[in-house]
Amino acid sequence: MHMHILGICGTFMGGIAQIARKLGHDVTGSDQNVYPPMSDQLEKAGIELMQGYKAEHLKPMPDIVIVGNTISRGNPELETVLNEQIPFTSGPEWLYNDVLKKKHVLAVSGTHGKTTTTTILSWILEYAGLNPGFLIGGVAENFGISARYTDSDYFVIEADEYDTAFSDKRSKFIHYHPKTLIINNIEFDHADIFQDIAAIRREFHHLLRILPEQARVIYPSDDEEVKNVLDMGCWSQKESFNKEVSANWSIDSAEVDFRYFKVIHEGKELGEVNWSLIGEHNANNALAAIIAAEHIGVSVDKACAALSEFKSVKRRLERLFESNGTCVYDDFAHHPTAISKTLEALHQHAPDSRIIAVMEPRSNTMRMGYHAETLAASFDKADMVLLFQADNVDWDIAKHMAELGERCRVFKDIEEIVSLIAEEYQPGDQIVVMSNGGFGGIHRKLIEALS
């Protein structure tokens, strides 16, 4: 079957393309910007990529078109699909019908930590010999890829609450029908899709309504919004986790940066983790993954052993450079809570070092200013805060960051940020660059300047 994918270079749609190719389909695709690393993965898989959206990309006519959720009416290829009555569907719907329907799906949802937790869980199952398929919103370093299809009974998926497609405004995760579901946390995000937190809460409720009784829902017992969703109705098994022993699962005896901790279940120690990741949030991500793996028979001891060989995910506090104790990290954080947790983890790991936070408010929610009032407080652990005011940011960053005083500076030129750091950095500084985009190549420019 010839499948053509609109928006193929996004992480999710690129994963769909690779899975479809593995299933033997002839896959082509279009995107406004065909660029690495996804373009490299796709070309290596034998998938033809087309730059831009043009009606002629649909000649010869494909058997079916998979429409990504970034595609809207007015797109030349989408209009041709509709005018020519070419069969089409969304990525999540195709994935369920052709792949997930036959699998035990382990889904990882929540506002924060989805990519890391999905990657951890995939690696635990791989280490345990279960050879899982997976679809992750980032490049898993243990695998070197973001998606794969296998003959395993198990498939691990990052379950995004973002909408499905132009023709289906339900959250993507509604299509996955998991038997094991992690809800890491729930906060307001995606202001371009959701009007308020109640709208997000309702989507999670709709997901819980279609889970079977024997499904397991794994959740943090101290998250009020998750509790609100569960109170709306949950008909499946539940397992809670928290740093407190009042939950079913907890962590204990953790080192200050959480590179070591013990796994506790109902008051009994079942294993201990020694790994390379830092931060309490990552320890909780690992705990959720351990509980999910236990649901399908992977022992806690085996899961803990897997974590000792876990290599993390690209762009999740990924260390790109180190010289004389000075480090440059790349982090995907684009929400005040994620920023705060990242900086807290770095402070715990290097308490005597200065932390320089460089951030681009780039997500749709950030650009629209929905987090303007809470952003400044998220930089509490940063000694120096350098923010980039892009032309498409609709609010005055400097005004809302005034409470940080001289610790914070706002720039409209990336080169000025690089020059300032090169002039003022000190040996041992921890420099973390936070953006959910390329940030104008600032990572490479910083490394060159510091080298």
Side-chain angles (χ1 to χ4, degrees), residues 312-384:
S312 192
V313 191
K314 293 284 187 184
R315 308 208 64 198
R316 271 62 179 182
L317 205 54
E318 178 187 5
R319 188 165 61 191
L320 302 179
F321 171 83
E322 181 175 10
S323 178
N324 295 323
T326 297
C327 298
V328 176
Y329 296 88
D330 181 17
D331 195 79
F332 199 73
H334 58 273
H335 184 286
T337 299
I339 293 167
S340 177
K341 288 181 181 293
T342 294
L343 296 179
E344 175 68 26
L346 202 52
H347 174 70
Q348 291 169 341
H349 179 63
D352 299 323
S353 298
R354 286 198 317 170
I355 295 177
I356 300 175
V358 185
M359 195 254 177
E360 175 191 28
R362 184 181 176 276
S363 72
N364 289 330
T365 309
M366 276 288 187
R367 286 192 294 102
M368 295 165 70
Y370 278 83
H371 295 309
E373 302 298 331
T374 57
L375 184 59
S378 68
F379 290 102
D380 178 61
K381 296 299 182 182
D383 299 282
M384 183 185 298

Side-chain angles (χ1 to χ4, degrees), residues 241-275 280 283-284 287 290 300 304:
F241 65 92
N242 195 350
K243 58 187 176 184
E244 306 294 340
V245 294
S246 57
N248 300 122
W249 297 77
S250 60
I251 58 179
D252 191 22
S253 304
E255 288 186 352
V256 67
D257 64 358
F258 290 87
R259 284 188 295 174
Y260 169 85
F261 59 90
K262 293 181 179 179
V263 176
I264 309 298
H265 179 233
E266 304 292 359
K268 181 180 179 181
E269 180 185 331
L270 296 186
E272 55 184 35
V273 173
N274 280 284
W275 69 335
E280 184 178 4
N284 282 326
L287 183 57
I290 288 169
V300 173
C304 291

Side-chain angles (χ1 to χ4, degrees), residues 17-216:
Q18 293 174 74
I19 290 170
R21 190 76 184 92
K22 180 68 174 179
L23 289 171
H25 297 297
D26 178 17
V27 183
T28 59
S30 307
D31 208 302
Q32 188 61 45
N33 296 297
V34 175
Y35 51 85
M38 183 54 71
S39 60
D40 295 338
Q41 285 191 44
L42 296 174
E43 288 172 354
K44 185 177 179 180
I47 296 168
E48 181 185 356
L49 304 179
M50 305 173 190
Q51 177 72 43
Y53 297 108
K54 304 173 185 177
E56 53 263 36
H57 290 168
L58 297 169
K59 296 179 181 178
M61 184 181 292
D63 297 296
I64 191 168
V65 173
I66 313 296
V67 183
N69 73 339
T70 62
I71 308 300
S72 56
R73 289 301 302 265
N75 179 289
E77 284 189 48
L78 177 57
E79 294 304 315
T80 301
V81 167
L82 298 175
N83 290 335
E84 299 295 328
Q85 296 186 313
I86 303 173
F88 71 90
T89 188
S90 69
E93 188 172 12
W94 177 85
L95 186 65
Y96 176 72
N97 287 329
D98 283 53
V99 178
L100 302 185
K101 187 185 295 185
K102 311 162 190 173
K103 307 286 186 181
H104 180 121
V105 176
L106 301 96
V108 180
S109 68
T111 309
H112 316 294
K114 291 187 295 293
T115 301
T116 300
T117 308
T118 308
T119 307
I120 293 170
L121 181 54
S122 298
W123 174 244
I124 290 174
L125 269 56
E126 176 76 1
Y127 187 90
L130 298 179
N131 189 34
F134 55 79
L135 180 49
I136 303 168
V139 178
E141 293 188 358
N142 285 88
F143 299 98
I145 52 177
S146 57
R148 79 175 183 187
Y149 175 83
T150 71
D151 292 330
S152 168
D153 292 333
Y154 303 104
F155 196 99
V156 186
I157 188 165
E158 180 171 334
D160 191 356
E161 72 271 25
Y162 217 72
D163 65 349
T164 296
F166 82 99
S167 56
D168 183 351
K169 291 305 175 182
R170 295 173 297 170
S171 290
K172 289 178 186 172
F173 57 41
I174 293 294
H175 295 276
Y176 302 153
H177 298 272
K179 293 186 176 70
T180 306
L181 172 66
I182 295 172
I183 306 177
N184 261 341
N185 39 65
I186 298 177
E187 286 194 74
F188 181 71
D189 201 5
H190 306 310
D192 52 326
I193 299 295
F194 299 110
Q195 183 176 357
D196 51 29
I197 188 66
I200 297 175
R201 201 184 297 137
R202 185 167 55 252
E203 291 296 319
F204 277 89
H205 173 60
H206 290 166
L207 174 60
L208 293 183
R209 289 189 71 88
I210 59 175
L211 298 187
E213 285 183 338
Q214 66 269 30
R216 176 180 291 187

